Amino acid sequence: MTKVSTTKIAPTLGSLNARPLPQWFDDAKFGIFIHWGMFAIPAYAETNNNIYETFRNEYDTAVARTPYSEWYANAIKVPGTPAYEHHQKVHKGAPYSSFKQPFIDGLEQWDPADWAAKFKQSGAQYVVLVTKHHDGFCLWPSDVKNPHADDWFTQRDIVGELADAVRTQGMRFGIYYSGGIDWTFNPEPLKTFGDFMGSMPHGEYEEYATAQVRELMERYEPSILWNDISWPTSQGSLFKLFADFYNAVPDGVVNDRWVHAAWYMKLLRRKTVRRLVDWLIKRSLKNSEKEGGIIPPVIPHSDFRTPEYTSFDKIQKKKWEATRGMSHSFGFNQNDTLDDYETPEKLLLGLIDAVSKNGNLLLNVGPRGVDGSIPEPQLDRLAFFGDWLSANGDAIYGARPWHKAEAETACGLEVRFTVKGDYLNVIVIGTPASEEVQLLDTVIDAANGETLDGAPVVLEQQGKICCLRVARSFAEGPAHTMKFKLNS
């Protein structure tokens, strides 16, 4: 049963941080992210680097050269970039707004119930829709007027229809909102990280963003408020927003991307400060051997952290959620080939690994703009998740980390551990070659166990090697689970 706080939340840091994490989110483990909008009509981005590699290798124009197709509106403003050249050649330099009508026309073929059914079949427990990305275009008929772009929204209530479809399938519904970036308020071309972080609109945008998020809260009562980049108001106003959300949705959660408009954020509005920041970051990246994505900074209050295209390497005390696309992009990218998509097995490992370390996985789909269809490689991966979770979900849903997240078998396979009640789940990544699995440097104090499909497993501890002997050989599969009742 989901635990819900009945205490009225005050707009203070103490009250916000005293609120426990709602159990449903801790239990859910797997969610679907959706990046869909006008950017899915041109559907273009480079594919040669991931986000981290782009900033390391192309820093001076990185924001315009990311693999994120949803950033197309900015990329076409920077001459010399592949996106700019593509836009001139294919779309004859047309304004970004020219993609609005084709997207609206494509909605005639969109079926939210079909989406929701496929997400349910994948084993997902919640869905987070991008309601407004950096281009400022809203996927609901907002009553909040954008002073810089008339009718910059859909008349069809995409948010409401999808929320209903998702809830009909028994899943939770959440909303993403780009609070820190809106190119209708700040159309300046962005090239570097300093440009990007310094471009958060202020003034009238503070009231606009707050009004829109409150409209989304009141109209759709989302279970998740997933803000991106930063937040344009003071900390006091932000805490009031959080408190009002929690009091309206007692089991709601908020993520960690709400860096408020503090003095150090305001300094980034100055070009001299941005250039200094750029120099420092560029120097750091040049000397870095790190691979992966982005981990947002810790802020005073959030329910969970959100590493992007990366994860934590150890068990975390605070709840977290790994987020990523199936390729290097979140939005649909027509340039993606099968080689650009991560393998289903690697994506599944991302889920299992996250759960072993107190995390969830928010896996993105990027539908096409012309008809709202989800590309086949993405559907294949959703089905792959569904097949595995239908047999192994008991080791994932509602599970918690053990005192140790991972191990390795004597034959070199990775292993992850989760605990559910009195039972330890041992998840072997890949298929063991024999009926005996030896876990190196692992001590398990437990009775004999079984695989999740009922085959007996004998557990024998030999020093620091734990031997697991299964009654039958393993069928070929991406990961195999055994469970054991712990003695203490």
Side-chain angles (χ1 to χ4, degrees):
M1 176 179 282
T2 298
K3 296 178 181 177
V4 178
S5 174
T6 57
T7 303
K8 186 173 178 62
I9 306 300
T12 64
L13 186 59
S15 181
L16 294 170
N17 284 343
R19 178 179 179 272
L21 177 74
Q23 185 179 326
W24 78 264
F25 186 74
D26 209 2
D27 288 347
K29 307 305 179 186
F30 179 39
I32 299 295
F33 214 178
I34 308 168
H35 278 66
W36 190 45
M38 287 169 52
F39 47 78
I41 295 296
Y44 179 92
E46 298 179 61
T47 61
N48 53 322
N49 290 314
N50 63 38
I51 185 69
Y52 188 86
E53 291 167 340
T54 300
F55 273 91
R56 183 174 58 195
N57 301 336
E58 308 289 347
Y59 187 84
D60 291 341
T61 55
V63 175
R65 298 196 60 180
T66 74
Y68 292 175
S69 66
E70 62 272 18
W71 292 17
Y72 187 78
N74 176 72
I76 61 178
K77 299 175 188 174
V78 181
T81 64
Y84 178 89
E85 300 301 332
H86 168 85
H87 189 68
Q88 297 299 313
K89 179 179 179 181
V90 176
H91 301 290
K92 312 304 180 186
Y96 181 73
S97 58
S98 67
F99 300 121
K100 177 184 173 182
Q101 193 57 49
F103 179 74
I104 298 298
D105 293 343
L107 292 178
E108 295 180 10
Q109 302 177 65
W110 175 56
D111 184 354
D114 180 63
W115 276 17
K118 287 181 169 62
F119 300 153
K120 181 67 174 181
Q121 291 163 8
S122 76
Q125 303 296 296
Y126 61 100
V127 174
V128 178
L129 172 69
V130 169
T131 64
K132 185 204 81 165
H133 207 266
H134 306 338
D135 61 4
F137 186 66
C138 301
L139 301 191
W140 79 100
S142 179
D143 291 333
V144 182
K145 180 177 174 57
N146 185 322
H148 304 285
D150 290 334
D151 298 323
W152 204 233
F153 54 81
T154 57
Q155 291 291 341
R156 184 172 177 180
D157 190 359
I158 295 172
V159 179
E161 289 186 41
L162 186 62
D164 289 344
V166 164
R167 288 165 174 155
T168 297
Q169 290 288 347
M171 297 178 288
R172 297 274 183 155
F173 179 74
I175 62 109
Y176 162 112
Y177 186 87
S178 175
I181 301 291
D182 190 317
W183 293 324
T184 65
F185 281 79
N186 189 347
E188 176 186 359
L190 309 177
K191 300 179 182 179
T192 68
F193 185 77
D195 291 341
F196 189 69
M197 292 307 297
S199 70
M200 181 171 66
H202 50 96
E204 61 186 354
Y205 180 67
E206 299 174 23
E207 181 179 349
Y208 175 81
T210 300
Q212 283 211 317
V213 170
R214 286 188 175 277
E215 182 179 59
L216 289 164
M217 286 165 43
E218 293 166 8
R219 204 178 280 186
Y220 308 109
E221 297 184 340
S223 294
I224 304 169
L225 279 186
W226 214 105
N227 187 61
D228 204 6
I229 311 301
S230 55
W231 187 247
T233 73
S234 68
Q235 183 171 271
S237 295
L238 176 59
F239 287 175
K240 179 69 164 57
L241 181 71
F242 286 163
D244 289 346
F245 171 62
Y246 291 144
N247 290 324
V249 186
D251 60 356
V253 292
V254 302
N255 72 331
D256 62 343
R257 302 188 181 197
W258 300 83
V259 178
H260 71 279
W263 64 268
Y264 52 87
M265 290 291 290
K266 295 176 182 178
L267 280 177
L268 286 170
R269 297 171 187 169
R270 301 179 182 178
K271 287 188 177 181
T272 52
V273 175
R274 295 205 297 269
R275 296 295 79 85
L276 175 60
V277 169
D278 286 333
W279 180 81
L280 291 170
I281 294 176
K282 187 175 181 179
R283 182 182 179 186
S284 174
L285 289 172
K286 184 178 181 180
N287 298 323
S288 173
E289 296 181 358
K290 172 188 170 185
E291 298 294 334
I294 301 164
I295 299 179
V298 176
I299 61 173
H301 174 75
S302 67
D303 292 305
F304 60 99
R305 301 193 67 195
T306 57
E308 183 170 321
Y309 279 94
T310 189
S311 62
F312 293 109
D313 58 3
K314 296 179 181 178
I315 297 172
Q316 300 294 299
K317 182 177 180 180
K318 186 177 182 66
K319 187 68 184 180
W320 59 283
E321 176 190 71
T323 181
R324 62 158 300 152
M326 297 187 193
S327 67
H328 289 324
S329 179
F330 284 95
F332 172 58
N333 186 354
Q334 63 177 317
N335 292 331
D336 279 338
T337 67
L338 279 178
D339 289 339
D340 294 306
Y341 279 92
E342 188 57 270
T343 65
E345 293 80 5
K346 189 71 176 291
L347 293 173
L348 179 63
L349 173 56
L351 169 64
I352 299 168
D353 180 72
V355 174
S356 75
K357 296 167 184 173
N358 199 31
N360 290 3
L361 173 66
L362 186 63
L363 182 63
N364 184 77
V365 298
R368 295 183 179 89
V370 293
D371 58 8
S373 64
I374 300 173
E376 286 299 322
Q378 298 179 30
L379 291 176
D380 290 344
R381 283 152 180 77
L382 292 181
F384 183 89
F385 268 67
D387 289 344
W388 190 85
L389 284 168
S390 66
N392 296 270
D394 192 55
I396 299 297
Y397 304 123
R400 300 292 184 266
W402 192 34
H403 69 81
K404 175 178 181 175
E406 57 190 77
E408 186 176 310
T409 70
C411 61
L413 296 179
E414 293 184 62
V415 177
R416 298 293 185 271
F417 303 102
T418 68
V419 171
K420 189 171 183 179
D422 296 331
Y423 287 87
L424 173 69
N425 300 297
V426 178
I427 307 174
V428 182
I429 311 302
T431 302
S434 70
E435 292 85 355
E436 180 170 301
V437 177
Q438 296 184 346
L439 306 182
L440 303 179
D441 195 27
T442 301
V443 176
I444 300 176
D445 183 12
N448 292 336
E450 62 182 10
T451 62
L452 290 191
D453 60 358
V457 182
V458 175
L459 184 154
E460 180 182 338
Q461 196 67 48
Q462 299 177 357
K464 290 189 175 182
I465 296 178
C466 184
C467 294
L468 309 177
R469 298 187 181 92
V470 187
R472 62 170 178 260
S473 59
F474 291 92
E476 189 66 30
H480 298 269
T481 304
M482 297 168 274
K483 71 174 185 177
F484 305 86
K485 187 170 184 180
L486 295 165
N487 291 328
S488 57

